[in-house]
Amino acid sequence: MISTAAPPAAVFPPKTGNSPLNALQEEILELKKARNAVILAHNYQIEPIQRVADHLGDSLGLAYAAANAQAETILFCGVHFMAETAKIVNPTRRVLLPDANAGCSLSDSCPADKLAAYKAANPHLYVVAYINCSAAVKALSDVICTSGNAVKIVERVPADREILFVPDQNLGAWVARQTKRHIRLWPGSCYAHVLFTVSALERVRTQYPHAPIVAHPECTEAVRDLADIVCSTEKMVHFCKETPAKEIIIATESGMIHRLQRDIPEKTFIAGPTDRCACNDCRFMKMNTLEKVRDALRDGTPEIQMDEAIRTAALTPIQRMLDWSR
Ligand code: 13P
Ligand code: SF4
């Protein structure tokens, strides 16, 4: 049975500086140089990985970083669709993912064959795909978006076109409300973000009555309505810097707390709890470890491979997104 008792809050107090890197992290930095590699890491990665990354960011920032990468190898510390995106935008680079099984429940909720069938039955739809989807789904889409630019992208879709938004119904509904566009929603969701509940967040707010709640748009509507701001992980960093609040509740994957502490050490971040847990890890993001990062650089595997026809078809809507986001 699920316990509804309040879990203790996971509080991350201000940090006073970085400890020296450990031997494994030093080995990774040496290998990175020797292999002419760049390490891109998503904000949800564990702190030891964040500390060896060249670029840390959200899906949008990392897509730009991948497109501009000059190094021979891109080691992508994130999940599979992110590494695939790097390969799509920069195909002459070798793209490595520390754990080939690091997938995404949201991406899995929209298989390409199901989308192809839906499109065939509804050929008038303009498909806006959240970047959390496979290369094959991107290849079937008209434009890609991320949580950081979804409103901007949907606003650019011709007004006479009906939109199908895949795969995240929560992000899609959030965008529909802000843009006032009628949007058909694919019934997908992120298993981790839907675990945040109003009751769990309200319980933690009784302990921190002045702390604003920051939520990711993949959260449910009830949680988004409760939040003081709903935004992408990178925009969370800007909000937390700007707000006068000294304590802030963060309703997204717990790795985000490390990024926030690193950039804003003078503030205290409280991980948004679920009904069962004091914080919320994405099991896919957490498959990457320092050992796997070292092994991937040393052995040049697991490498992202992609059918060239799918890659070029997927590039068109990604390129449209990058152009529309400028
Ligand atoms: P961001 O692009 O906001 O970092 O989100 C990525 C993601 O996977 C959220 O679950
Ligand atoms: Fe996918 Fe959710 Fe994990 Fe993000 S947090 S990578 S959407 S499963």
Side-chain angles (χ1 to χ4, degrees), residues 166-222:
V166 304
D168 190 21
Q169 58 187 305
N170 287 302
L171 175 65
W174 179 68
V175 172
R177 209 204 275 184
Q178 288 178 81
T179 58
K180 313 262 186 299
R181 293 285 300 249
H182 172 74
I183 299 181
R184 283 197 205 187
L185 302 173
W186 191 268
S189 56
C190 161
Y191 91 93
H193 280 88
V194 298
L195 291 178
F196 291 110
T197 61
V198 168
S199 53
L201 288 165
E202 275 176 343
R203 273 198 296 265
V204 85
R205 195 134 74 168
T206 58
Q207 291 169 261
Y208 300 93
H210 304 297
I213 294 177
V214 177
H216 197 274
E218 289 171 18
C219 294
T220 62
E221 185 175 23

Side-chain angles (χ1 to χ4, degrees), residues 44 79 81 103-106 132 190-193 218 282 284-285:
Y44 293 164
V79 292
F81 76 81
C104 167
S105 70
L106 185 49
N132 295 39
C190 161
Y191 91 93
H193 280 88
E218 289 171 18
C282 165
F284 304 108
M285 287 281 181

Side-chain angles (χ1 to χ4, degrees), residues 31-320:
L31 276 166
K32 185 164 73 89
K33 229 185 286 165
R35 301 284 189 266
N36 187 13
V38 64
I39 300 181
L40 310 187
H42 188 265
N43 290 325
Y44 293 164
Q45 291 297 286
I46 55 171
E47 191 199 20
I49 291 182
Q50 293 197 13
R51 290 193 60 195
V52 295
D54 297 289
H55 297 274
L56 200 50
D58 65 0
S59 308
L60 183 61
L62 294 176
Y64 278 112
N68 296 326
Q70 301 296 322
E72 276 167 51
T73 294
I74 298 171
L75 177 69
F76 208 116
C77 299
V79 292
H80 194 268
F81 76 81
M82 295 179 173
E84 263 191 347
T85 303
K87 186 70 186 174
I88 294 166
V89 298
N90 206 340
T92 59
R93 307 295 181 248
R94 170 196 288 198
V95 179
L96 305 174
L97 180 65
D99 188 319
N101 294 317
C104 167
S105 70
L106 185 49
S107 176
D108 291 346
S109 63
C110 184
D113 58 340
K114 287 220 170 82
L115 177 59
Y118 194 84
K119 272 186 65 172
N122 302 275
H124 65 290
L125 294 173
Y126 192 99
V127 181
V128 179
Y130 184 31
I131 199 163
N132 295 39
C133 64
S134 66
V137 164
K138 288 183 176 77
L140 293 167
S141 304
D142 294 294
V143 68
I144 306 302
C145 71
T146 71
S147 56
N149 64 14
V151 170
K152 205 179 199 176
I153 296 297
V154 165
E155 280 170 346
R156 293 283 300 260
V157 175
D160 60 343
R161 298 294 303 274
E162 188 185 355
I163 296 172
L164 170 66
F165 193 95
V166 304
D168 190 21
Q169 58 187 305
N170 287 302
L171 175 65
W174 179 68
V175 172
R177 209 204 275 184
Q178 288 178 81
T179 58
K180 313 262 186 299
R181 293 285 300 249
H182 172 74
I183 299 181
R184 283 197 205 187
L185 302 173
W186 191 268
S189 56
C190 161
Y191 91 93
H193 280 88
V194 298
L195 291 178
F196 291 110
T197 61
V198 168
S199 53
L201 288 165
E202 275 176 343
R203 273 198 296 265
V204 85
R205 195 134 74 168
T206 58
Q207 291 169 261
Y208 300 93
H210 304 297
I213 294 177
V214 177
H216 197 274
E218 289 171 18
C219 294
T220 62
E221 185 175 23
V223 166
R224 297 195 308 271
D225 285 349
L226 178 73
D228 296 273
I229 182 164
V230 177
C231 58
S232 75
T233 60
E234 201 57 31
K235 288 185 182 170
M236 289 180 186
V237 179
H238 300 290
F239 172 84
C240 293
K241 275 185 186 156
E242 298 301 319
T243 177
K246 296 278 178 263
E247 295 169 334
I248 306 158
I249 298 165
I250 306 294
T252 195
E253 209 273 349
S254 59
M256 189 63 211
I257 302 285
H258 304 308
R259 170 70 199 280
L260 290 166
Q261 278 190 324
R262 175 183 165 138
D263 283 24
I264 319 168
E266 68 280 9
K267 295 194 179 178
T268 297
F269 299 100
I270 301 109
T274 67
D275 287 334
R276 279 196 273 189
C277 218
C279 60
N280 199 0
D281 281 343
C282 165
R283 63 173 173 266
F284 304 108
M285 287 281 181
K286 294 302 191 268
M287 283 180 178
N288 296 326
T289 62
L290 276 182
E291 285 77 9
K292 290 179 195 174
V293 169
R294 187 263 323 272
D295 294 352
L297 281 174
R298 187 191 58 206
D299 305 336
T301 184
E303 183 177 355
I304 300 293
Q305 307 280 1
M306 201 179 304
D307 178 86
E308 184 58 10
I310 295 211
R311 190 194 71 77
T312 51
L315 181 60
T316 304
I318 294 178
Q319 194 55 56
R320 189 166 290 134

